[in-house]
Amino acid sequence: IYTLKSSGSKRYLYGRGNVEKITEEIRQSRATAVFVSIDRLSLLQIDGLTEKFRVPVYDRYSIVLQVNG
């Protein structure tokens, strides 16, 4: 569980240190996707996190679309 960034750039949603920690966890676990437990990420956040993590990033809204689509 990581704390959301409350100010500054909204591109990555999390602070720089947390983004690096999450990126390392993704690499070590060989995750194929990331779920962020937020109702809806902006396109800027999805693009930024996908670029950093190098795996698809999903929010609650996108999961509902995947299940019901």
Side-chain angles (χ1 to χ4, degrees):
I1 298 175
Y2 292 93
T3 304
L4 296 177
K5 188 173 188 172
S6 60
S7 63
S9 171
K10 295 182 182 181
R11 181 169 173 84
Y12 300 118
L13 189 66
Y14 300 100
R16 188 168 138 201
N18 282 341
V19 169
E20 296 305 321
K21 288 178 188 175
I22 297 168
T23 301
E24 183 61 23
E25 285 188 29
I26 292 167
R27 187 187 68 74
Q28 287 180 357
S29 67
R30 297 183 183 176
T32 58
V34 171
F35 172 72
V36 179
S37 185
I38 291 192
D39 288 337
R40 192 155 187 192
L41 294 168
S42 71
L43 291 177
L44 182 67
Q45 290 167 332
I46 292 171
D47 289 345
L49 293 172
T50 299
E51 178 184 306
K52 280 287 187 184
F53 299 157
R54 297 184 182 208
V55 295
V57 174
Y58 299 99
D59 57 12
R60 292 178 191 153
Y61 182 78
S62 62
I63 293 297
V64 169
L65 288 178
Q66 292 286 327
V67 170
N68 294 318

